[in-house]
Amino acid sequence: QVQLVESGGGLVQAGGSLRLSCAASGRLFNIIDMGWYRQAPGKEREWVALINRDDISTYLDSLKGRFILSRDGAKNTVYLQMNSVKPEDTGVYYCYARASEPQINTYWGQGTQVTVTS
């Protein structure tokens, strides 16, 4: 089992920055990668980014250059730095972790609200 706790959401003006954190605990040694999804009001959940064991990050094409995903292994925490935010970045952001146990299980955080005002 893996537990994920997100923090850092809130209200931000367009053009500003926000950093989301996701702290993992539990059986961490099976984790393959961690990342974020988001869900805007009235829309389906959308994958945002992931970071793997080699600290290689992958992003939704439309977010490249604005969002940066990093990991602090000592703190078992991943960070999503959101820069030059836009109103369309508004939504609930969910952290996830995929673990090989040996089947692939996906664990989710509770979500954190990000609201970008114009």
Side-chain angles (χ1 to χ4, degrees):
Q1 292 281 338
V2 175
Q3 294 79 41
L4 303 172
V5 178
E6 301 124 330
S7 60
L11 197 66
V12 60
Q13 284 192 328
S17 296
L18 202 63
R19 190 178 79 160
L20 307 182
S21 301
C22 175
S25 61
R27 296 168 61 90
L28 304 180
F29 52 87
N30 291 328
I31 290 179
I32 301 169
D33 51 42
M34 293 180 65
W36 295 86
Y37 273 75
R38 67 184 182 182
Q39 188 165 20
K43 295 189 177 180
E44 293 187 354
R45 195 172 291 193
E46 173 184 57
W47 175 78
V48 171
L50 70 83
I51 187 165
N52 64 16
R53 290 173 171 172
D54 297 322
D55 285 339
I56 297 174
S57 298
T58 310
Y59 302 92
L60 182 67
D61 281 348
S62 60
L63 299 178
K64 288 180 181 177
R66 291 199 300 121
F67 286 17
I68 301 170
L69 184 59
S70 61
R71 187 170 68 100
D72 184 334
K75 296 181 179 179
N76 299 315
T77 299
V78 296
Y79 302 97
L80 183 67
Q81 179 68 40
M82 305 168 59
N83 299 319
S84 303
V85 295
K86 305 175 181 179
E88 51 263 42
D89 293 324
T90 294
V92 179
Y93 283 69
Y94 297 93
C95 176
Y96 74 95
R98 294 197 308 149
S100 178
E101 301 177 321
Q103 72 280 3
I104 304 299
N105 292 322
T106 302
Y107 297 93
W108 295 93
Q110 78 283 0
T112 186
Q113 176 70 45
V114 172
T115 303
V116 182
T117 59
S118 56

